[in-house]
Amino acid sequence: MDRKLFFKILAIVGLTILLLIPLALVEGQIRERSQRQEEVQRNIANSAAGPQTLTGPVILLRTREHVTEARRDADSNLPVTTTKIVVHSQLIAPETLSINGYTKVETRKRGIYQARLFHLDATSQSRFAVNVPAAEANDRLIDAEAVLLLGLSDPRGVDNDPEVMINGQRHRFGTGAQAAEALPMAQLSVPLGRLELGKTHRFEVSFPLQLTGTTRLSIAPTGETNSIQLKSAWPHPNFGGRFLPRERSVSADGFAARWEISHLARDFTSALQPSSGEALSVDFVDPVNIYLQSERAVKYGVLFIVLTFAGFFLTEILRRAPIHPLQYLLVGLALAIFFLLLIAFSEHMAFAAAYGLAAGACIGLIAWYLAGALGDWRRGAAFGAGLTGLYGVLYGVLLSEDNALLMGSLLLFIALGVVMLTTRRLDWYGLGQRPPERAR
């Protein structure tokens, strides 16, 4: 191979590596903007309410009993019997739990950044059966009392003072300080008073609840039988948690979902722990995360540069149209700037429009530049058409994350096939050599 051709290939490889620097800077800028977006979301959550986990209602049953202890006196070493009162606590799940709610989603903005707040308007209905042991069965038993509890991860999001109907009587929630040891979260409570020993007490409980939160709503299925229905006009829900809806419908007008969960499918103790994940959840996500999409796009930046430079190189060797390394560099910088334009535009308009505008600007600039550099507008237009196809494939990859590997692999295979097809008759050893002079 001619030394000049060898150094040209070496220069192209060096330029490709050099262009990793602006791509890395663009990726760093995207991450910085993404972190700023998350910071704004946290600030809005701190000002309003964070992600919400709704646990309950459940009933806390407290029983007091006399406990006799035998010990030896420290001074006389004689046996001494003492009696003290011990309090036992037990959380009781509802036999049935029904929650029916509608959720509105609101967008809060700070500058160019935004966060999603949801407003839940729900009705909760539950039925309890509390069995209190008889004094005859436990002669040490003194009395029993009960408290209705509702756990919330962020009580600042409670927008109303709900009227709680218990067996037809009106009550109001209070703070759960008196039952602080019961649930590992903030809680609302209604004292149910002393319960007669040796009886089964039944409670029918219902109340409306208006709850505000950020991004995610989780509900712990604490009942023996749970029926939960949620509706919203938000068309981009993400159903998660331990339990997926039995029925759901998602359209441009919103979503509707229904969960039916029995005690056989959930662990009651874990459901009372917000960190256990024993809950169903709905995330009110953005339809397109511009920072995630842009970061994924940048990862294909090297592929863009390699394929474009390969096209330049083939043009040089097949069309005998020399392209200076500086021209390679300028076109490579234009390709890198596309990703910076993408993130800048997408912060002010829809991602699809931002992508089209950034791609159109870069394709037009490169095609116009190459038309003048190569002295032929058709070659410039051909490169522009090739870049248009490349940007189109990248957009398809960004939209279909599940098929990203397949589409990327097919793109590389097609590019390699085109190179092999166009150079199958090329004499690589003869490149750069002067043709032999004809005999005179």
Side-chain angles (χ1 to χ4, degrees), residues 41 109 113 202-203 209 214 217 226 243 331 394 398 433:
Q41 289 178 345
K109 292 186 177 182
Y113 303 102
R202 299 192 177 276
F203 299 94
L209 181 65
T214 304
L217 170 64
N226 302 273
F243 309 96
V331 172
L394 176 60
L398 296 180
Q433 296 181 0

Side-chain angles (χ1 to χ4, degrees), residues 99-271:
I99 297 177
N100 195 330
Y102 182 83
T103 306
K104 294 188 298 183
V105 179
E106 174 191 1
T107 300
R108 294 274 181 93
K109 292 186 177 182
R110 288 187 180 175
I112 61 174
Y113 303 102
Q114 60 186 20
R116 307 287 181 191
L117 291 181
F118 64 83
H119 303 281
L120 173 66
D121 190 353
T123 300
S124 174
Q125 295 179 329
S126 52
R127 185 174 66 246
F128 294 84
V130 181
N131 298 312
V132 182
E136 293 78 9
N138 183 359
D139 56 1
R140 298 174 301 178
L141 190 62
I142 302 173
D143 57 21
E145 65 176 359
V147 181
L148 180 72
L149 298 178
L150 179 67
L152 296 168
S153 55
D154 193 342
R156 296 175 305 157
V158 179
D159 296 328
N160 64 330
D161 182 9
E163 186 178 78
V164 186
M165 298 297 295
I166 302 177
N167 293 342
Q169 296 183 350
R170 293 181 174 84
H171 299 266
R172 296 286 183 183
F173 276 124
T175 57
Q178 58 178 316
E181 79 284 359
L183 296 175
M185 63 180 70
Q187 55 204 261
L188 307 178
S189 65
V190 177
L192 301 178
R194 295 285 180 89
L195 302 184
E196 184 178 347
L197 302 181
K199 291 186 61 176
T200 297
H201 299 264
R202 299 192 177 276
F203 299 94
E204 300 279 346
V205 180
S206 65
F207 57 88
L209 181 65
Q210 296 175 4
L211 187 66
T212 294
T214 304
T215 306
R216 174 177 295 177
L217 170 64
S218 300
I219 300 176
T222 54
E224 298 295 314
T225 301
N226 302 273
S227 177
I228 300 168
Q229 298 186 57
L230 294 176
K231 295 181 179 180
S232 176
W234 183 251
H236 309 289
N238 179 34
F239 301 106
R242 287 264 294 162
F243 309 96
L244 292 177
R246 173 173 294 184
E247 298 177 0
R248 66 178 181 179
S249 62
V250 181
S251 66
D253 297 326
F255 74 86
R258 182 174 66 89
W259 291 260
E260 296 289 342
I261 305 168
S262 78
H263 67 282
L264 299 176
R266 64 98 174 100
D267 181 80
F268 179 63
T269 302
S270 298

Side-chain angles (χ1 to χ4, degrees), residues 46-59:
N46 290 335
S47 301
Q52 291 285 14
T53 298
L54 180 64
T55 303
V58 295
I59 286 181

Side-chain angles (χ1 to χ4, degrees), residues 22-149:
L23 288 177
L25 293 175
V26 172
E27 188 171 7
Q29 181 67 21
I30 292 174
R31 289 177 180 173
E32 181 181 337
R33 310 289 278 191
S34 179
Q35 291 172 359
R36 175 59 179 162
Q37 166 80 359
E38 293 174 358
E39 180 183 344
V40 168
Q41 289 178 345
R42 288 193 297 269
N43 289 339
I44 292 177
N46 290 335
S47 301
Q52 291 285 14
T53 298
L54 180 64
T55 303
V58 295
I59 286 181
L60 173 65
L61 176 64
R62 286 197 186 102
T63 56
R64 296 193 305 159
E65 64 180 36
H66 291 292
V67 175
T68 302
E69 291 184 345
R71 61 181 179 84
R72 288 190 176 273
D73 184 75
D75 297 328
S76 64
N77 200 31
L78 296 175
V80 177
T81 301
T82 59
T83 301
K84 64 179 181 180
I85 296 177
V86 177
V87 178
H88 298 283
S89 298
Q90 177 187 1
L91 285 173
I92 299 174
E95 292 181 332
T96 62
L97 173 62
S98 174
I99 297 177
N100 195 330
Y102 182 83
T103 306
K104 294 188 298 183
V105 179
E106 174 191 1
T107 300
R108 294 274 181 93
K109 292 186 177 182
R110 288 187 180 175
I112 61 174
Y113 303 102
Q114 60 186 20
R116 307 287 181 191
L117 291 181
F118 64 83
H119 303 281
L120 173 66
D121 190 353
T123 300
S124 174
Q125 295 179 329
S126 52
R127 185 174 66 246
F128 294 84
V130 181
N131 298 312
V132 182
E136 293 78 9
N138 183 359
D139 56 1
R140 298 174 301 178
L141 190 62
I142 302 173
D143 57 21
E145 65 176 359
V147 181
L148 180 72
L149 298 178

Side-chain angles (χ1 to χ4, degrees), residues 307-322:
L307 292 179
T308 303
F309 283 4
F312 282 8
F313 185 70
L314 289 178
T315 300
E316 284 197 79
I317 62 176
L318 296 177
R319 301 295 183 182
R320 302 293 181 179

